[in-house]
């Protein structure tokens, strides 16, 4: 088991380069199942979720070569209808295998999705979409089985804005007969990235990034060379970490357009964010932090995945901050851990009230999930004394070399292997 040992108090200084987006990557990689021939996806993050997907696809029969940030992949001989007892259950986004296999082969058998435990994580909208396209869906013994004689385009309205369902329906519909429209579609940057890659492969998708996505089915798709967009959440995490330590950090290789809500909230909290160009911001903090209210919302609102890092930052902001989590019902588990470090957070239903304290202190804490884990790392960087964060496997799912990147910014952090 690995743990991160952090001696707090160092101000982060210097430059950090942001990787490709995890949430794009976990959809782009399975999407290649739809393509004939070779593809190369670049700017992929080297994290456990992408490595696992690479191994799942090669276990299924794809040729996969994943080096540095590039994955060369050919899925022409992939197994589809068999009972794939894959490792796929380990990551939530394994469900994209279902949409892609259904879209290409009209059948799929995959284990039900895993991932962070953020409360109930239903996939009813994915299933509704597949059924409306003409698939028969069966769930038994932890497996999701899909089969269709043919897939026919239709109108699909999502009654909850869902990133996963929007992407999965695009994957299933891209080669369906006729036209599919997804209404009340999610607008997250990675949805646009996936749609763009599909279009590069010969698809006919429009409206990505708006509420209504239109997909005119095509007969086949070919291999592509695609570059993954920068990770909005990793960008926000380093912005918040820089602010939390009162540091001065240049954050490079970002997409500024995706960061509007985060920049706004950081500025409200008295953090200085200077835009150097469309791909670079500099974050400094010279004044004391002010308490603010934050509500998570689907894009372009404040991203739920930055709710916990923001919560860590606000522990030492003056006055009382309020965070309302409107996407996931169970995303405040990290607050119990923060309270062990001296923060004063009370959670009622979907709202956390954070009474600002003058300092927090090091403690032994456990990452409850990916983003909650990184919140604890940020708290460790701010705290007086030493913080030990266990459950690091959660953090490794989504952050490439977090220890190395923080060290290069001057943090006193080390990764330790310990017995269970
Ligand atoms: C994706 C992101 C995750 C982020 C989330 C919200 C990936 C791999 N993960 O997760 O990091 O926190 O978007 O921005 O991209 N819902 C239903 N029925 C469904 C599907 C979802 O009711 O069939 C509900 C969920 O319970 C949740 C909300 O819709 O309350 C949003 O979920 P969704 O956007 O689907 O999240 P994911 O795609 O799982």
């Amino acid at each position: 088991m690995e743990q991160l040992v952090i001696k707090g108090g160092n101000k982060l200084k210097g430059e950090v380069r942001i990787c490709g987006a995890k949430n794009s990557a976990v959809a782009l990689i399975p999407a290649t199942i739809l393509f004939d021939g070779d593809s190369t996806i670049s700017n992929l993050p080297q994290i456990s979720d992408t490595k696992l997907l690479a191994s799942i696809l090669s276990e299924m029969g794809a040729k996969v070569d994943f080096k540095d940030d590039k994955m060369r992949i050919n899925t022409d001989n992939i197994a589809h209808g068999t009972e794939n007892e894959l490792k796929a259950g380990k990551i939530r986004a394994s469900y994209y295998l279902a949409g892609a296999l259904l879209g290409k082969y009209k059948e799929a058998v995959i284990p039900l999705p895993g991932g962070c435990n953020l409360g109930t994580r239903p996939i009813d909208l994915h299933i509704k979409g597949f059924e409306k396209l003409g698939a028969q869906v069966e769930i038994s013994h932890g497996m999701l089985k899909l089969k269709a004689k043919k897939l026919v385009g239709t109108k699909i309205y999502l009654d909850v804005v869902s990133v996963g369902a929007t992407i999965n329906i695009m994957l299933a519909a891209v080669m369906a007969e006729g036209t599919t429209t997804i209404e009340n579609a999610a607008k997250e940057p990675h949805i646009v990235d996936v749609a763009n890659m599909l279009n590069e492969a010969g698809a006919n998708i429009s409206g990505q990034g708006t509420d209504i996505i239109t997909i005119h089915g095509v007969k086949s798709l070919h291999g592509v060379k695609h570059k993954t967009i920068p990770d909005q959440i990793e960008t926000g995490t380093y912005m918040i970490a820089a602010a939390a330590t009162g540091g001065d950090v240049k954050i490079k290789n970002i997409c500024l357009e995706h960061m509007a809500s985060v920049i706004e909230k950081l500025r409200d909290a008295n953090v200085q964010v200077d835009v150097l160009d469309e791909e670079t911001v500099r974050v400094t903090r010279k004044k004391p932090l002010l308490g603010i209210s934050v509500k998570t919302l689907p894009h372009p609102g404040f991203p739920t995945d930055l709710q916990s890092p923001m919560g860590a930052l606000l522990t030492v902001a003056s006055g009382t901050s309020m965070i309302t989590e409107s996407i996931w019902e169970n995303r405040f588990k990290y607050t119990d851990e923060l309270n062990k470090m001296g923060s004063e957070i009370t959670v009622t239903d979907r709202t956390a009230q954070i009474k600002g304290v003058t300092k927090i202190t090091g403690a032994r804490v456990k990452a409850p999930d990916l983003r909650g884990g990184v919140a604890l790392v940020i708290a460790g960087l701010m705290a007086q004394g030493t913080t030990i964060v266990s459950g690091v496997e959660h953090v490794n799912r989504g952050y490439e070399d977090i220890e190395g990147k923080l060290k290069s910014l001057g943090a006193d952090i080390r990764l330790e292997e310990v017995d269970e």
Side-chain angles (χ1 to χ4, degrees):
M1 185 183 88
E2 285 179 336
Q3 61 184 26
L4 281 166
V5 182
I6 307 161
K7 227 195 234 166
N10 291 5
K11 294 183 175 190
L12 298 187
K13 291 213 163 106
E15 292 185 359
V16 65
R17 190 176 183 284
I18 295 306
C19 305
K22 163 195 171 276
N23 285 350
S24 261
V26 297
L28 295 173
I29 298 167
T32 63
I33 290 174
L34 293 158
F35 306 163
D36 298 328
D38 297 337
S39 293
T40 305
I41 308 178
S42 60
N43 200 34
L44 285 173
Q46 279 278 359
I47 51 177
S48 64
D49 267 11
T50 51
K51 291 179 197 164
L52 185 62
L53 265 174
S55 80
I56 288 168
L57 283 172
S58 58
E59 248 178 53
M60 290 167 74
K63 282 191 216 146
V64 186
D65 176 29
F66 188 18
K67 268 202 209 95
D68 303 325
D69 70 323
K70 270 198 192 57
M71 188 178 291
R72 283 179 234 284
I73 181 159
N74 180 312
T75 58
D76 288 350
N77 294 316
I78 207 152
H80 41 96
T82 48
E83 299 260 343
N84 275 319
E85 288 289 345
L86 304 168
K87 301 174 195 162
K90 285 194 195 150
I91 53 173
R92 168 85 180 155
S94 64
Y95 53 45
Y96 294 137
L97 294 168
L101 289 169
L102 180 67
K104 173 89 178 243
Y105 299 104
K106 314 287 176 276
E107 62 179 346
V109 182
I110 62 145
L112 287 170
C116 285
N117 176 12
L118 308 175
T120 358
R121 295 190 76 166
I123 54 163
D124 55 306
L125 295 170
H126 305 232
I127 289 171
K128 174 180 154 186
F130 296 149
E131 283 177 338
K132 286 206 85 174
L133 289 165
Q136 279 185 341
V137 181
E138 190 194 321
I139 295 178
S140 64
H141 301 97
M143 302 295 281
L144 174 65
K145 300 180 187 182
L146 310 173
K147 208 167 177 59
K149 282 207 179 73
K150 60 177 183 174
L151 297 168
V152 182
T154 182
K155 192 161 107 175
I156 299 168
Y157 174 80
L158 300 179
D159 48 8
V160 177
V161 179
S162 161
V163 172
T166 302
I167 292 180
N168 234 341
I169 293 167
M170 282 200 303
L171 298 177
V174 67
M175 287 196 274
E177 284 174 22
T179 300
T180 302
T181 50
I182 310 175
E183 296 187 0
N184 201 27
K187 297 185 280 226
E188 268 63 7
H190 45 294
I191 290 170
V192 178
D193 198 23
V194 174
N196 289 348
M197 183 178 82
L198 293 171
N199 282 344
E200 288 154 21
N204 185 351
I205 302 176
S206 54
Q208 57 271 32
T210 75
D211 290 329
I212 302 180
I213 298 178
T214 305
I215 305 154
H216 298 291
V218 295
K219 289 250 169 343
S220 65
L221 296 170
H222 54 76
V224 291
K225 284 194 179 2
H226 180 81
K227 185 175 175 198
T228 315
I229 56 166
D231 196 312
Q232 177 204 31
I233 308 303
E234 194 197 22
T235 306
T237 301
Y238 282 97
M239 291 174 77
I240 292 170
T245 59
D248 182 351
V249 180
K250 218 191 246 184
I251 303 166
K252 293 161 61 171
N253 193 39
I254 72 159
C255 177
L256 183 63
E257 195 191 321
H258 300 160
M259 302 313 301
S261 64
V262 180
I263 292 176
E264 185 74 13
K265 282 292 158 192
L266 284 174
R267 285 181 176 155
D268 287 352
N270 237 356
V271 176
Q272 190 172 329
V273 182
D274 297 311
V275 173
L276 303 186
D277 57 47
E278 292 303 299
E279 294 183 0
T280 321
V281 286
R282 178 178 171 194
V283 179
T284 44
R285 199 191 89 210
K286 297 193 179 103
K287 299 184 220 152
L289 285 168
L290 293 178
I292 54 169
S293 292
V294 181
K295 183 175 184 184
T296 65
L297 286 168
H299 190 76
F302 189 88
T304 167
D305 288 1
L306 287 173
Q307 183 262 104
S308 6
M310 197 64 163
L313 175 73
L314 294 175
T315 55
V316 294
S318 65
T320 299
S321 298
M322 302 293 273
I323 299 188
T324 305
E325 172 56 67
S326 66
I327 316 281
W328 299 114
E329 70 205 32
N330 200 2
R331 211 169 202 181
F332 282 127
K333 285 187 255 171
Y334 71 98
T335 60
D336 289 337
E337 301 300 298
L338 284 182
N339 285 346
K340 291 181 192 162
M341 300 176 72
S343 69
E344 289 188 22
I345 310 178
T346 38
V347 176
T348 318
D349 300 323
R350 288 180 173 233
T351 302
Q353 179 178 306
I354 306 175
K355 254 201 219 155
V357 293
T358 48
K359 66 169 194 319
I360 54 172
T361 45
R364 267 183 186 278
V365 287
K366 188 161 191 265
D369 51 60
L370 165 56
R371 308 301 174 183
V374 91
L376 300 176
V377 172
I378 291 172
L381 296 171
M382 299 157 72
Q384 222 171 52
T386 301
T387 298
I388 299 177
V389 183
S390 60
V392 177
E393 66 283 359
H394 288 296
V395 180
N396 291 339
R397 283 190 35 232
Y399 289 91
E400 182 179 292
D401 189 19
I402 191 163
E403 180 207 12
K405 283 188 173 181
L406 287 173
K407 246 188 203 156
S408 77
L409 293 171
D412 187 338
I413 181 169
R414 64 173 199 279
L415 191 62
E416 266 185 9
E417 187 66 43
V418 285
D419 294 334
E420 291 279 329

